[in-house]
Short mmCIF file of all heavy atoms in Angstrom, two decimals:
data_model
loop_
_atom_site.label_atom_id
_atom_site.label_comp_id
_atom_site.label_asym_id
_atom_site.label_seq_id
_atom_site.Cartn_x
_atom_site.Cartn_y
_atom_site.Cartn_z
N THR A 124 88.85 11.33 84.72
CA THR A 124 89.23 10.12 83.89
C THR A 124 88.61 10.32 82.50
O THR A 124 87.43 10.26 82.26
CB THR A 124 88.65 8.80 84.61
OG1 THR A 124 87.25 8.92 84.74
CG2 THR A 124 89.24 8.55 85.92
N GLY A 125 89.45 10.49 81.55
CA GLY A 125 89.09 10.67 80.14
C GLY A 125 89.94 11.72 79.54
O GLY A 125 90.95 12.20 80.16
N LEU A 126 89.50 12.15 78.38
CA LEU A 126 90.24 13.16 77.57
C LEU A 126 90.05 14.53 78.10
O LEU A 126 88.96 14.89 78.57
CB LEU A 126 89.77 13.04 76.07
CG LEU A 126 89.99 11.73 75.39
CD1 LEU A 126 89.45 11.71 74.01
CD2 LEU A 126 91.49 11.33 75.45
N ILE A 127 91.11 15.32 78.07
CA ILE A 127 91.11 16.77 78.51
C ILE A 127 91.48 17.61 77.48
O ILE A 127 92.47 17.36 76.86
CB ILE A 127 92.01 16.86 79.75
CG1 ILE A 127 91.65 16.01 80.91
CG2 ILE A 127 92.06 18.41 80.20
CD1 ILE A 127 92.56 16.11 82.20
N ALA A 128 90.60 18.62 77.25
CA ALA A 128 90.84 19.56 76.03
C ALA A 128 91.29 20.99 76.62
O ALA A 128 90.69 21.29 77.64
CB ALA A 128 89.70 19.52 75.13
N GLY A 129 92.11 21.54 75.92
CA GLY A 129 92.53 22.87 76.24
C GLY A 129 91.94 23.91 75.18
O GLY A 129 91.99 23.55 74.01
N VAL A 130 91.43 25.00 75.63
CA VAL A 130 90.84 25.96 74.65
C VAL A 130 91.37 27.37 74.97
O VAL A 130 91.62 27.82 76.07
CB VAL A 130 89.29 26.08 74.94
CG1 VAL A 130 88.66 27.01 74.03
CG2 VAL A 130 88.65 24.70 74.59
N ASP A 131 91.76 28.13 73.90
CA ASP A 131 92.19 29.40 74.07
C ASP A 131 91.81 30.21 72.75
O ASP A 131 91.56 29.57 71.67
CB ASP A 131 93.69 29.51 74.28
CG ASP A 131 94.15 30.83 74.87
OD1 ASP A 131 93.23 31.74 75.14
OD2 ASP A 131 95.32 31.04 75.02
N GLU A 132 91.85 31.58 72.86
CA GLU A 132 91.37 32.41 71.78
C GLU A 132 92.55 33.27 71.27
O GLU A 132 93.54 33.39 71.94
CB GLU A 132 90.21 33.31 72.15
CG GLU A 132 90.42 33.94 73.32
CD GLU A 132 91.19 35.30 73.17
OE1 GLU A 132 91.24 35.81 72.16
OE2 GLU A 132 91.86 35.77 74.22
N ALA A 133 92.38 33.88 70.13
CA ALA A 133 93.22 34.87 69.61
C ALA A 133 92.48 35.91 68.84
O ALA A 133 91.57 35.51 68.02
CB ALA A 133 94.28 34.23 68.61
N GLY A 134 92.82 37.11 68.97
CA GLY A 134 92.17 38.19 68.23
C GLY A 134 91.10 38.96 68.81
O GLY A 134 90.17 39.39 68.23
N ARG A 135 91.01 39.04 70.21
CA ARG A 135 89.97 39.86 70.92
C ARG A 135 90.23 41.30 70.83
O ARG A 135 89.34 42.12 70.59
CB ARG A 135 89.90 39.40 72.35
CG ARG A 135 89.29 38.07 72.54
CD ARG A 135 89.02 37.84 74.04
NE ARG A 135 88.10 38.77 74.59
CZ ARG A 135 87.66 38.72 75.90
NH1 ARG A 135 88.16 37.78 76.72
NH2 ARG A 135 86.82 39.69 76.33
N GLY A 136 91.54 41.66 70.89
CA GLY A 136 91.75 43.13 70.86
C GLY A 136 91.90 43.95 69.60
O GLY A 136 91.69 45.09 69.57
N PRO A 137 92.21 43.28 68.47
CA PRO A 137 92.43 44.01 67.24
C PRO A 137 91.08 44.63 66.73
O PRO A 137 90.01 44.41 67.14
CB PRO A 137 92.87 42.98 66.20
CG PRO A 137 93.42 41.85 67.05
CD PRO A 137 92.69 41.89 68.37
N LEU A 138 91.29 45.68 65.78
CA LEU A 138 90.19 46.43 65.33
C LEU A 138 89.63 45.75 64.08
O LEU A 138 88.55 46.23 63.57
CB LEU A 138 90.68 47.83 64.92
CG LEU A 138 91.31 48.68 66.08
CD1 LEU A 138 91.84 50.01 65.55
CD2 LEU A 138 90.46 48.88 67.23
N ALA A 139 90.22 44.83 63.61
CA ALA A 139 89.76 44.11 62.40
C ALA A 139 89.86 42.60 62.46
O ALA A 139 90.64 42.02 63.25
CB ALA A 139 90.48 44.71 61.22
#
Side-chain angles (χ1 to χ4, degrees):
T124 56
L126 300 177
I127 300 178
V130 178
D131 200 2
E132 51 79 25
R135 286 187 63 178
L138 305 179

